[in-house]
Every structure is written in structure tokens, then in C-alpha cells.
Amino acid sequence: MIQLSGWATILMSLGVCLLFIMQHLTRRHKPCRTKSLSWESILVTHERQWREVPTMRTKKMDEDSSVEISNKKEDNGPVCIGREDDVKKQRTTAIINDREILVFYHDGKFYAMDCRCYHAGGPLHLGEIEDINGQACITCPWHKYKITLATGEGLYQAINPREPSVTPKWRSKGVKQRTHHVTVDNGNIYVTLSDMSDSIDSDYYAEMYKKTINSSMKK
Ligand code: FES
């Protein structure tokens, strides 16, 4: 009897131990909601962020790339945009064929060009005018690109590594900004849009803002 009760005690102790171990294991492997949720949420948030950023970018690029550059010839006659005296006093912007045109007077001459900078659509009507190598240029207020008033060429400073010099030289990137023709008749200023058969960099932003102009006119 004594032996049996000894065995019973051992068996009971083993049972208690087993129960304890089982309980412990169950508790350990029980999913910890807070922890697993928080990690999941962090992962999901990160994943979402990684997904969203490119999605937004792609969307924007798609929207941008949906801007078509129209080379259609539109009604191209001279358009009166104001009085000579007024334009002499201050720069004027005019909408001609839904295109935003900047017209201004500088050093005895009238100039007209697309109002949105060829680089990223900066507002050229807010740019300073300066002389660079004898050429009057407008400096875009956004990233300081220089554009000649007469031809719309983009200028940049360069150093030829074969002829090192302390002072960089101004060079032309070619015509980047579309310029237009200005005439004066009887005290009025007329602008004739340039021939659109060739594509020029500033056309992209002129077309993009055309959409904005059209949608704001519909409101
Ligand atoms: S937008 Fe004009 S310089 Fe960048």
C-alpha cells in the first residue's frame, strides 16, 4: 500500500508537471494579438507606403504624359493685346488661341514669348531681365534658367576642360522657349503666334496650361 501510494504520488506529481508544462506551452504559443497586430500593422503600413508612392508618381507621370503637343496650325492672324503705352509701362500676359503669352517692352523693343518656362513651367512674367554677353535675357524665377528675349534660346555656363578658364563661358542650348511676333499699329500692340509646325520645349507647358485655362474658363 505504501508502495502504491508512493507511485501514486509520483504519478500525480508527474501529471501536475505535465499540466504545468502544457499550460506554459499553450500560453507561449497563444497568438499575442497586440504584438502580432502591431507588427502586422507596421508591415502593412510600410507596404502601403511603398506601394502608394510609386502609384502616385506613376499617376502623375501618366497625367503629365497625357498632355499632347499639338502641332496643328490654328488661326494665326495678329491679335491685339493692348495699348502700346500700357505695355511699355508694365508686362502683359494675354491668352491667344488658349496659349498664355507674355508681352513686354525692354530697351526700346517689344517682345512676346510663351509665359511658362520650358524647364518646368515657371512663371516667366515674374522673371528679372538682364544682359548676358550683349543679349537681353529673362531669368526664370523658379530655377534661374536664362532665356534670350529675341530668340528664346536657353543659355548655360560652361568650361571647356581642354581650355581651362576661371570664368565659365555662356553657351546656347538652342531655341527652347517659343517666341512670337509683335507689331505696333496705331498705338496698339499686336501679337502673331509663331509657326507651330516644329515642336519647341516650351510647347509642353503651354499645352499643359492650356488645359488649365480651358477648365477655368468653363467654370
Ligand atoms: S521652371 Fe524655369 S528654370 Fe525651372
Side-chain angles (χ1 to χ4, degrees), residues 36-182:
S36 79
L37 268 178
S38 67
W39 277 108
E40 265 171 30
S41 63
I42 288 166
L43 286 171
V44 169
T45 315
H46 276 264
E47 206 179 319
R48 204 180 295 140
Q49 279 172 355
W50 278 104
R51 276 200 201 126
E52 273 172 5
V53 172
T55 312
M56 279 160 63
R57 286 208 182 120
T58 315
K59 198 171 170 221
K60 190 168 186 307
M61 282 178 76
D62 288 345
E63 279 168 7
D64 289 352
S65 61
S66 74
V67 174
E68 288 170 8
I69 301 206
S70 150
N71 286 330
K72 284 187 297 206
K73 285 208 172 193
E74 301 183 59
D75 180 16
N76 222 7
V79 175
C80 180
I81 59 101
R83 296 289 298 163
E84 182 181 359
D85 293 342
D86 296 335
V87 180
K88 273 184 177 171
K89 274 185 227 148
Q90 65 172 24
R91 297 173 191 184
T92 304
T93 54
I95 307 292
I96 303 174
N97 286 353
D98 298 335
R99 202 174 180 102
E100 206 180 358
I101 309 293
L102 167 63
V103 188
F104 52 96
Y105 180 78
H106 175 74
D107 220 6
K109 283 185 191 161
F110 288 97
Y111 298 91
M113 60 171 56
D114 284 351
C115 194
R116 294 287 158 180
C117 173
Y118 73 91
H119 173 225
L124 288 182
H125 60 286
L126 303 176
E128 298 282 325
I129 293 178
E130 61 182 301
D131 185 277
I132 296 175
N133 285 349
Q135 296 186 90
C137 294
I138 194 156
T139 304
C140 177
W142 281 6
H143 313 103
K144 312 297 175 197
Y145 277 30
K146 317 279 184 197
I147 301 164
T148 62
L149 301 188
T151 58
E153 283 170 78
L155 299 187
Y156 68 103
Q157 284 186 296
I159 291 179
N160 183 346
R162 291 191 186 142
E163 299 163 21
S165 141
V166 186
T167 334
K169 290 201 171 121
W170 284 102
R171 307 240 178 237
S172 171
K173 300 179 197 172
V175 175
K176 296 288 180 179
Q177 193 74 18
R178 191 178 284 286
T179 56
H180 305 280
H181 190 59
V182 186

